[in-house]
Amino acid sequence: MKQIIVAKSAPEAIGPYSHGTAFNGLIFTSGQLPVDGSTGSVVEGGITAQSEMSLKNLISVIEAADGDVNTVLKTTCYLANITDFAAFNEVYKTVFHTDCPARSCFAVKDLPLGVLVEVEAIAHKKTTV
């Protein structure tokens, strides 16, 4: 049965969608924007600060579904400007520093709220022994 994921620390969805869904041990997140969940505002500070917040929100959603950074299988990363690729990678590797998941990363024409980055993921739930 499909489970709707709600992460209390992630910002509310800006449209008719959930933070994510889980099914049969897999977690599928919606794209996470660099919005501070406590203020509802886009963080300032350019690509570095926005990447940090998007990834923080992403991990919050995954953790709300009983996953963690080590259970991420695949990420899809959207950048408003491909020239931010290197700066985004610097932040990304602080989150996924070993056993990196598969990833696609590309520039898009526009992102919601005029942000610089959006990240989504597929992960699996932690297993207990």
Side-chain angles (χ1 to χ4, degrees):
M1 176 182 224
K2 178 173 81 171
Q3 170 195 357
I4 300 298
I5 302 165
V6 177
K8 292 181 178 145
S9 62
E12 290 187 27
I14 61 171
Y17 58 88
S18 61
H19 286 142
T21 57
F23 181 78
N24 204 23
L26 291 175
I27 302 164
F28 302 87
T29 74
S30 294
Q32 297 303 305
L33 299 173
V35 174
D36 184 326
S38 65
T39 66
S41 299
V42 174
V43 297
E44 296 186 22
I47 189 62
T48 297
Q50 288 197 11
S51 298
E52 289 168 349
M53 182 57 70
S54 288
L55 290 164
K56 178 181 176 184
N57 290 338
L58 180 76
I59 298 306
S60 294
V61 173
I62 292 166
E63 289 175 345
D66 196 31
D68 63 30
V69 69
N70 296 312
T71 68
V72 177
L73 301 170
K74 166 88 167 67
T75 61
T76 304
C77 311
Y78 307 95
L79 302 174
N81 191 331
I82 200 64
T83 59
D84 288 334
F85 186 75
F88 173 75
N89 275 341
E90 288 301 311
V91 175
Y92 188 90
K93 71 182 180 183
T94 67
V95 175
F96 300 107
H97 50 302
T98 59
D99 299 325
C100 294
R103 182 181 93 171
S104 298
C105 186
F106 48 91
V108 296
K109 184 176 181 295
D110 292 306
L111 289 167
L113 305 177
V115 301
L116 302 174
V117 62
E118 180 175 0
V119 185
E120 65 183 28
I122 300 170
H124 63 86
K125 293 186 176 206
K126 295 182 278 186
T127 55
T128 56
V129 179

